[in-house]
């Protein structure tokens, strides 16, 4: 019973989420479309897994297994890139699909000519960690750059940095380690053994988490992306150090007099408009002269405002203070306050006595 469950479970998880994705109109969004493709390839991959451990394995399924197992990691990387860049083209990542295609063709030739499929399987397993590692590193770099861009564009970055996707990418890397370890032990060691439930169960759980987060992630919509035209037009702009200092003084003056930081949903372009400059100049000035991102800079202003309220109106509810300071919700307030002070607002009040 356990063995049967172990053979079926990963494929069932992939099939379940892929059907949901197909019913969710994947064509409406490129990233969702790529993620659906990832689901289809994963379903085929674990169908080959099911066939092999059911004792029905044959060289055509081994060829398909090699193709799919070496394609899922580049596809997930491409999915992340599509979330970050709406117009990302497939040809940037197509080369990383070549190993899977070549190895599956080699397997096809070996199968037809009666060659040694064991060698094909060994090469496949050697390629898995290499391709998975590259895909993970490449995606991590892209996510980190996106996070920095978001932090320098939005005052409130909640839900705009794709952190859950980063976690799922790490889980996919863990899956690659599990697959490689199982390959080193030898898949044949698990044939007919209830021990198969251990790697199969872990992979199924990781797959469920990956698909759940991907299914729930419907960002970034156009409104959440930094405008490309604005970014491109200012990409090569620079400003002298003396001018930077003058600009920073104007920014500080606006924060002091107009209290721009209290505006919910504040964007760096709003600050740039207020001081008669552009987004890149303002961003560079804040980054270089304060050592902070735009979001951290605004957070320090909001925290300072909350501290002042604590002194002037100690009986005011914390929720009201957060609202007056410009925080969009209670979670952002608590997280921002703790980031700036090392203490939650209530802990800070208790410490002050």
């Amino acid at each position: 019973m356990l063995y049967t469950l172990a053979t079926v479970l990963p494929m069932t998880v992939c099939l379940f989420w892929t059907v949901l994705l197909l019913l969710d109109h994947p064509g409406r969004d490129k990233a969702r479309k790529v993620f659906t493709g990832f689901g289809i390839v994963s379903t085929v991959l674990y169908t080959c897994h099911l066939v092999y451990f059911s004792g029905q394995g044959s060289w055509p399924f081994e060829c398909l297994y090699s193709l799919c197992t070496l394609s899922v990691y580049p596809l997930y990387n491409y999915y992340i890139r599509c979330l970050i860049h709406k117009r990302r083209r497939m040809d940037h990542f197509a080369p990383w699909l070549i190993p899977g295609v070549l190895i599956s063709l080699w397997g096809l030739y070996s199968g037809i000519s009666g060659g040694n499929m064991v060698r094909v399987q060994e090469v496949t397993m050697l390629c898995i960690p290499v391709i998975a590692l590259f895909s993970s590193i490449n995606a991590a770099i892209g996510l980190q750059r996106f996070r920095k861009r978001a932090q320098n564009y939005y005052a409130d970055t909640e839900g705009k940095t794709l952190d859950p996707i980063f976690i799922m990418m790490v889980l996919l890397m863990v899956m690659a380690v599990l697959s490689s370890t199982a390959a080193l032990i030898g898949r044949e060691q698990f044939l007919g053994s209830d021990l198969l439930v251990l790697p199969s169960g872990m992979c199924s759980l990781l797959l469920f988490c990956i698909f759940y987060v991907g299914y729930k992630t419907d960002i970034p919509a156009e409104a959440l992306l930094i405008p490309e035209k604005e970014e491109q037009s200012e990409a090569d702009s620079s400003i002298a150090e003396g001018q930077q200092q003058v600009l920073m003084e104007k920014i500080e003056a606006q924060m002091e007099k107009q209290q721009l930081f209290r505006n919910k949903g504040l964007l760096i372009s709003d600050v740039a408009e207020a001081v008669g400059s552009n987004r890149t100049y303002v961003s560079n000035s804040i980054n270089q002269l304060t050592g902070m991102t735009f979001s951290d800079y605004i957070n320090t202003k909001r925290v300072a405002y909350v501290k002042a309220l604590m002194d002037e109106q100690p009986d005011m509810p914390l929720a009201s203070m957060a609202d007056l300071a410009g925080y969009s919700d209670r979670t952002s307030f608590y997280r921002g306050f703790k980031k700036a002070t090392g203490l939650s607002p209530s802990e800070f009040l208790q410490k002050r006595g």
Side-chain angles (χ1 to χ4, degrees), residues 75-89:
L75 273 174
Y76 195 75
N77 182 16
Y78 183 46
Y79 160 64
I80 291 175
R81 289 293 181 162
C82 286
L83 284 174
I84 298 171
H85 302 286
K86 282 289 183 181
R87 298 178 183 176
R88 179 64 66 179
R89 296 187 309 175

Side-chain angles (χ1 to χ4, degrees), residues 14-39:
C14 294
L15 180 61
F16 169 76
W17 285 110
T18 301
V19 170
L20 284 184
L21 286 165
L22 288 169
L23 293 175
D24 196 38
H25 307 293
R28 68 180 182 178
D29 179 82
K30 185 177 182 180
R32 183 57 65 93
K33 199 170 184 178
V34 174
F35 191 63
T36 303
F38 168 80

Side-chain angles (χ1 to χ4, degrees), residues 43-290:
T43 302
V44 175
L45 168 61
Y46 285 101
T47 299
C48 294
H49 165 96
L50 167 63
V51 170
Y52 177 83
F53 286 105
S54 298
Q56 304 298 318
S58 59
W59 65 263
F61 283 103
E62 287 301 313
C63 294
L64 197 55
Y65 175 83
S66 294
L67 177 62
C68 293
T69 196
L70 294 177
S71 300
V72 288
Y73 303 103
L75 273 174
Y76 195 75
N77 182 16
Y78 183 46
Y79 160 64
I80 291 175
R81 289 293 181 162
C82 286
L83 284 174
I84 298 171
H85 302 286
K86 282 289 183 181
R87 298 178 183 176
R88 179 64 66 179
R89 296 187 309 175
M90 184 62 187
D91 58 9
H92 290 90
F93 299 94
W96 285 93
L97 299 175
I98 293 175
V101 174
L102 291 179
I103 293 173
S104 62
L105 289 175
W106 176 28
L108 185 63
Y109 172 78
S110 298
I112 294 174
S113 62
N116 188 359
M117 287 297 297
V118 174
R119 185 64 60 86
V120 177
Q121 295 167 0
E122 290 174 347
V123 174
T124 298
M125 295 310 165
L126 286 174
C127 289
I128 289 175
V130 176
I131 292 178
L133 182 62
F134 166 79
S135 298
S136 299
I137 292 174
N138 189 273
I141 291 172
L143 285 169
Q144 185 58 34
R145 287 176 179 170
F146 180 82
R147 182 185 289 113
K148 187 174 181 180
R149 288 172 57 206
Q151 290 173 341
N152 279 314
Y153 191 77
Y154 301 98
D156 304 297
T157 59
E158 292 291 326
K160 300 182 179 70
T161 56
L162 299 178
D163 287 341
I165 297 296
F166 186 89
I167 295 171
M168 292 306 103
M169 183 204 67
V170 173
L171 290 181
L172 196 67
M173 188 61 191
V174 173
M175 275 189 58
V177 173
L178 285 174
S179 298
S180 300
T181 303
L184 287 173
I185 296 172
R187 287 192 298 167
E188 66 278 0
Q189 301 297 323
F190 294 96
L191 269 172
S193 173
D194 286 347
L195 289 175
L196 180 63
V197 76
L198 296 177
S200 182
M202 292 178 67
C203 282
S204 298
L205 179 60
L206 292 173
L207 283 166
F208 187 91
C209 294
I210 290 168
F211 279 107
Y212 176 80
V213 172
Y215 183 77
K216 291 294 185 181
T217 301
D218 197 22
I219 57 173
E222 292 298 332
L224 297 181
L225 286 171
I226 300 168
E228 292 182 6
K229 291 182 180 179
E230 182 181 6
E231 183 181 25
Q232 291 170 359
S233 64
E234 299 176 5
D236 299 324
S237 59
S238 59
I239 183 171
E241 186 176 343
Q243 294 175 308
Q244 214 171 54
Q245 186 63 48
V246 172
L247 180 58
M248 194 66 210
E249 290 173 0
K250 290 182 180 179
I251 295 170
E252 288 287 353
Q254 287 295 323
M255 293 298 164
E256 183 69 26
K257 296 177 183 178
Q258 303 298 327
Q259 295 187 325
L260 290 180
F261 60 87
R262 294 180 60 192
N263 296 345
K264 291 183 175 66
L266 182 69
L267 305 176
I268 200 166
S269 52
D270 298 330
V271 178
E273 183 179 353
V275 298
S277 185
N278 67 48
R279 181 182 67 81
T280 299
Y281 288 165
V282 172
S283 178
N284 289 343
S285 297
I286 292 174
N287 293 167
Q288 295 175 25
L289 297 182
T290 70

